[in-house]
Amino acid sequence: MEHIRTPKVENVRMIVTPRKSTVGTLYLSSTHTIFVENSEALKETWVLHSLVYNVERLPANSSGSPLIIRCKNFHVYRLLILQEKDCLDVLACLTRLSRPERYGELFCFSFNPNLDKELREKAWGFIDLKAEFSRMGIPRNLWHVTAANHEYRLCDTYPSELFVPKSASPAVIVGSAKFRSRGRLPVLSYFHRDTGASICRSSQPLSGFSARSSDDEQMLQAIMKSNPVSEFMYVVDTRPKLNAMANRAAGKGYENEDHYTNIKLQFIGIENIHVMRNSQQKLIDVGELAAPSMSDFLWGLENSGWLKHIKAVLDAGVFIAKAVAEEGVSVLVHCSDGWDRTAQACSVASVLLDPYYRTIKGLMVLIEKDWVSFGHKFSHRYAHLDGDPKEVSPVMDQFLECVWQLMQQFPCAFEFNERFLIQLHTHIYSCQYGNFICNCQKERRDLRLKERTHSLWPHLWENRAEYTNPLYRTGHSQTRGVLKPLTTAYCFKFWKGMYSRAEKSVASYQSPADCLNAVREESQQLEEELSAHQEVPRETDAGQETCPTEGKENFRGEEEVQQVV
Amino acid sequence: MEFAELIKTPRVDGVDLHRPFMPTVEGTLCLTGHHLILSSRQDNTEELWLLHANIDSIEKRFVGSLGTIIVKCKDLRVIQLDIPGMEECLNIASSIEALSTLDSVSLMYPFFYRPLFEVIEDGWQLFVPEEAFKDLESMTDEWRLSEVNKDFSVCPSYPSLLTVPKDIDDESLCKAASFRHGGRFPVLSYYHKKNGMVMMRAAQPLTGTNGRRCKEDEKLINATLCAGKRGYIIDTRTIAVAQQAKARGGGFEQEANYPQWRRIHKAIERSNVLQDSLIKLVEACNDQSHSMDRWLSKLEASNWQSKVKEILTTACLAAQCIDREGASVLVHGTEGTDSTLQVTSLAQIILDPACRTIRGFEVLIEREWLQAGHPFQQRCAQSAYSNGKPRSEAPVFLLFLDCVWQILRQFPCSFQFNENLLIMFFEHAYASQFGTFLGNCVAERVKLQLSQKTVSLWSWVNRPQELERFLNPLYEPNNLVIWPSVAPQSLLLWEGVFLRWNRSTKCLDEACQEMVHIIEYNKELQNKVNSLRRQLAQLETEESPLQTP
């Protein structure tokens, strides 16, 4: 609380649109900024400090000092504070509180949803990656868990349990790790039961201009051989070729096709985190334009390059999915460190390949596996702590957007709706739950996050009714098999629900999905009423022995009643 | 003229038909006077029946003796025919070219088409001005139905019956007509029941450079104002364009002469630039090799989306003046047959829930487009693949439909119809077996005797068998004014038309079916529950005497 100089400011005006605003009281707590309207309804707006991206004070004018609070989930709040001194106090306080310096300051350590110890532990067990790997149906004669990374000895940014080809000896595993950036050796990410092909992931090899490692070569050979029907494998380098070549000068780079037998190298051309950060900033600026013309908007969209990058990520996923499902060829995916673009490409491919990842629980599992466990640097990328701004980048945003773009093409294929993706996005930034804190599993273990914070997943799962796509029906053709999206430029859309929050809050749109959900809910109630009514004949006439039993099929209520009459 | 003279080779075997996202079909190509037909002669294989009138342009190429004709249609589809034999191919190509560009209206297919269905309700009687006037009379006695244009001499592009203020006699109407471009004097377009405000439409006043005025015109529009109230004149042109029009005898209402009116200028472009915009847009949509940058830049350069935004903005403005400001409105551009109609008809969709039903929408098109004299035949003579110099072609109506689609997408529960209806109207405006969109105005249609010699589109659409396809399962009638967002991020490319042939719609169609299932299942359950409830209530009343001895 030592940072809060002014806990309460009265007569603050919140500007919703240029024409609409409300007056209320602003409160600052240690975790939230709270705006309470002076109206009878006392409507409250809560803004989590950890979601605040920046706070900007505009020059004071005759009506007061304007303050703009921009959030990491693209909400923007515009306030007008009467006294300049109050405005400065709020600014100083929010600036400090939105930039925590230590993990201990994060909201997740004070957030208390009243769960007892047992429930909290159970909640952390909600997503079980061991169960996930066995769900994939990995053949135990070809793949196994290695103990090589026990206590994170081999690679401190990987999970401790790694799936590797059974044919790779411990020496090969260690040798391969030594030849890879930060020890991130090739390991299994996804096994496709239908073809036996797999997706493996790693970081770039330390090949430089001429270095080679027979262990690493053997490792790739072992991966290829784990798919008995295939004669070669793809190595997908998700970087632009030029970037990969430039890395050779630093002793890194990519696999030399002459040294590795039976590999085909493929560059995809996803740009690095710095390009993506700048691109998203331009996109956000487009969203913030006041009354843009159509040309301003389209030009801004083009100039941001954002959709081009989304297309690149999706194209990477499509390439991998095609190799695995259609050609039956295994793929090793890497970029530089193998925690950004690699995570994107592997997880997009998995969503395309496996209908399970298109369910609510499945997407949680996928994020837990490809992102959380494999050391995607959440705390750096999403600026959980005040740190190097160059480490920040919307890597996960892009993955979520790829899924959203797919939802536009396959409206019946996903169990979840857009709201689910947006909710995930918010929580990746919010630091309310412990799931996305830190940069790797080892850090999380050392911080004892499971004892000190709560897990987001069961919370989302309990509220899954809110996140359900009404068009999803198990058994529908789109919920089975591999998705083959079209990635022509015109298939990509601006994600309005994510980037135009203000626009959405102004107009009162009708959402087809919400209508349909309401209808489905009503249908459910009707079904219940019907089955209740079915009991009626039995109750009104005890002599009737031929009462219908239960179930929809058996519904003959009307006829039964008629017999009674 | 005999069509046979134009058909040198009526039939070719072994022709391959290529369509994007569909399997190649091999079969026999036949040419008739009005159709290009490709039939595989196999069961379960779809035949292609293409109206010559739907063909916008063709290209031919040869590789050895194999000829290829690329047929580009007005509904934006592009198909490829591989025809063995150079002579056959040349003959077919020249026949298609001749048959798709016939000049005479009376040779068009609607005059030859005989419906295979029984006409239960004659679509030519869908909109009867006298009946519409009766409705108006029940709400207000300020208006009358004038026959001043009964022989189309006062205004050739207006219908014979027009709704005008009661206190203005026919003589004044004639004088006002001589002061408006094409004789299009201000007439009633829409009466807003909620507050009694009205929307009028007209063509530009002929003020010219010396500031001519016309007392009758001033009196006419002032008669629509309540005492002490001001009205708005929405000129769809920018002030600069309106100024320039003076040099050609046109102009705009001077404040001094119309003190009770506030004039607002908007920037809807004239119809002649629209064709170019459509051509550029379709070109961008048809190139699948475009990189993201190139696609977005081409989309932007086509300017199509800007036009959608501008038209919708102007329609919202008109609706706002009427509903929110409680003021009457006069809308006009230059001729009053293009942008004016876009604005008045869209404003009605925003304001009047009746226009969001299928029948109401048909009536709107009949009243505000066909009878109001939008020159369909000129505007829809060519579509996006025309390579000649455009004469008076312009996708004015398509832009209107696009705007309706934008509103429909933002208010998916407020329309009785779905996107398919809009797409179907687009197709039929450009090529049809029905006579509805032939001719440029009522006078021409009367002369062509369309109502006797051709079938109306409405006769076909309004059959229950056809209507089903056009129903929106999410429709919940409401009496609200619906305000669409015109922010650029809220306006999308109309994929149903512009990407229709460039992607598979299987998954999207499945989603629509799913939606229908959910709603139908709900209705089924509701019926069951209701009938059960009724029977239970009945049971209880019958049983009660037994229980009381």
Side-chain angles (χ1 to χ4, degrees), chain A residues 399-433:
Chain A
F399 165 66
L400 294 175
E401 179 158 344
C402 284
V403 175
W404 181 82
Q405 300 282 358
L406 288 172
M407 283 162 68
Q408 307 311 301
Q409 285 194 40
F410 304 96
C412 307
F414 294 85
E415 189 190 11
F416 45 83
N417 57 18
E418 175 181 24
R419 203 176 288 141
F420 185 59
L421 298 180
I422 291 178
Q423 192 67 9
L424 282 173
H425 178 266
T426 294
H427 280 297
I428 283 159
Y429 286 88
S430 75
C431 303
Q432 184 171 351
Y433 292 89

Side-chain angles (χ1 to χ4, degrees), chain A residues 196-215:
Chain A
S198 60
I199 302 175
C200 292
R201 59 185 289 172
S202 70
S203 61
Q204 63 186 336
L206 302 174
S207 48
F209 290 104
S210 56
R212 58 190 292 185
S213 149
S214 77
D215 288 332

Side-chain angles (χ1 to χ4, degrees), chain B residues 119-127 366 436 455-460 462:
Chain B
V119 176
I120 300 161
E121 190 193 334
D122 184 8
W124 292 112
Q125 301 301 319
L126 177 84
F127 175 71
E366 185 69 37
T436 299
V455 181
S456 160
L457 173 63
W458 318 129
S459 303
W460 172 71
N462 289 338

Side-chain angles (χ1 to χ4, degrees), chain A residues 439-503:
Chain A
N439 295 308
C440 61
Q441 293 293 56
K442 181 170 180 293
E443 271 187 57
R444 283 182 200 106
R445 186 201 58 177
D446 294 349
L447 265 179
R448 293 185 296 112
L449 279 178
K450 290 191 184 180
E451 294 154 48
R452 300 168 64 201
T453 70
H454 293 271
S455 171
L456 169 67
W457 304 129
H459 168 70
L460 291 178
W461 181 249
E462 276 156 29
N463 295 303
R464 62 189 177 280
E466 217 178 304
Y467 305 124
T468 303
N469 169 15
L471 297 177
Y472 179 84
R473 175 166 57 80
T474 43
H476 191 281
S477 63
Q478 286 182 38
T479 64
R480 280 174 298 188
V482 180
L483 296 184
K484 292 171 191 163
L486 205 59
T487 61
T488 321
Y490 55 60
C491 295
F492 291 82
K493 293 174 188 155
F494 172 74
W495 189 1
K496 182 163 164 261
M498 180 68 97
Y499 293 103
S500 271
R501 294 288 172 93
E503 176 59 31

Side-chain angles (χ1 to χ4, degrees), chain B residues 372-398:
Chain B
H374 174 66
F376 275 98
Q377 197 166 314
Q378 289 177 9
R379 296 285 181 260
C380 303
Q382 295 257 264
S383 173
Y385 303 118
S386 56
N387 28 30
K389 200 169 159 245
R391 287 163 300 178
S392 27
E393 292 84 359
V396 177
F397 186 61
L398 176 58

Side-chain angles (χ1 to χ4, degrees), chain B residues 67 78 84 103 135 138 158 181-182 225 251 257 280 296 326 355 386 397-398 409 448 503 507 509 522:
Chain B
V78 178
D103 272 336
D135 286 348
S138 70
Y158 268 171
H181 191 119
L225 293 177
N257 302 338
K280 283 187 182 152
L296 287 172
C355 296
S386 56
F397 186 61
L398 176 58
R409 215 190 47 80
L448 287 166
R503 53 172 194 175
C507 292
D509 295 342
N522 178 267

Side-chain angles (χ1 to χ4, degrees), chain A residues 527-552:
Chain A
E527 276 172 5
E528 279 161 23
E529 190 178 339
L530 275 178
S531 53
H533 276 321
Q534 283 183 329
E535 308 290 326
V536 170
R538 213 181 331 216
E539 282 164 18
T540 50
D541 188 345
Q544 280 282 341
E545 291 294 325
T546 54
C547 285
T549 48
E550 62 224 315
K552 274 178 249 160

Side-chain angles (χ1 to χ4, degrees), chain B residues 293-497:
Chain B
D293 286 354
R294 192 150 171 76
W295 154 247
L296 287 172
S297 119
K298 289 212 140 195
L299 178 65
E300 196 263 315
S302 80
N303 249 324
W304 183 268
Q305 294 297 97
S306 304
K307 293 182 166 62
V308 169
K309 178 171 157 62
E310 199 55 52
I311 295 165
L312 266 177
T313 307
T314 311
C316 284
L317 174 73
Q320 225 159 6
C321 290
I322 294 170
D323 188 70
R324 296 220 172 140
E325 305 272 317
S328 285
V329 171
L330 169 68
V331 183
H332 71 74
T334 305
E335 292 96 344
T337 54
D338 295 294
S339 59
T340 306
L341 305 182
Q342 289 171 332
V343 173
T344 58
S345 52
L346 285 168
Q348 291 179 53
I349 287 172
I350 293 168
L351 293 170
D352 186 3
C355 296
R356 299 173 219 142
T357 64
I358 293 189
R359 197 159 277 259
F361 188 61
E362 290 168 357
V363 167
L364 184 76
I365 290 176
E366 185 69 37
R367 184 164 47 86
E368 287 295 300
W369 288 86
L370 291 159
Q371 307 225 1
H374 174 66
F376 275 98
Q377 197 166 314
Q378 289 177 9
R379 296 285 181 260
C380 303
Q382 295 257 264
S383 173
Y385 303 118
S386 56
N387 28 30
K389 200 169 159 245
R391 287 163 300 178
S392 27
E393 292 84 359
V396 177
F397 186 61
L398 176 58
L399 264 170
F400 158 71
L401 293 175
D402 193 330
C403 292
V404 177
W405 177 78
Q406 306 285 350
I407 308 177
L408 173 74
R409 215 190 47 80
Q410 291 183 22
F411 297 91
C413 306
S414 296
F415 288 79
Q416 191 190 12
F417 52 87
N418 59 24
E419 180 182 10
N420 296 339
L421 187 81
L422 302 174
I423 297 172
M424 188 267 292
F425 286 161
F426 158 60
E427 290 173 339
H428 283 273
Y430 279 83
S432 176
Q433 65 269 45
F434 302 106
T436 299
F437 291 106
L438 291 183
N440 292 304
C441 56
V442 175
E444 281 188 33
R445 284 185 202 106
V446 169
K447 211 172 149 201
L448 287 166
Q449 294 179 286
L450 290 182
S451 63
Q452 294 98 49
K453 293 187 173 171
T454 72
V455 181
S456 160
L457 173 63
W458 318 129
S459 303
W460 172 71
V461 181
N462 289 338
R463 301 166 68 239
Q465 303 93 306
E466 300 300 332
L467 272 181
E468 204 171 320
R469 221 153 34 101
F470 303 119
L471 288 174
N472 171 13
L474 295 173
Y475 179 53
E476 287 278 351
N478 67 58
N479 275 316
L480 302 173
V481 174
I482 48 174
W483 298 107
S485 160
V486 294
Q489 54 267 54
S490 303
L491 302 176
L492 299 183
L493 175 72
W494 189 8
E495 300 182 355
V497 163

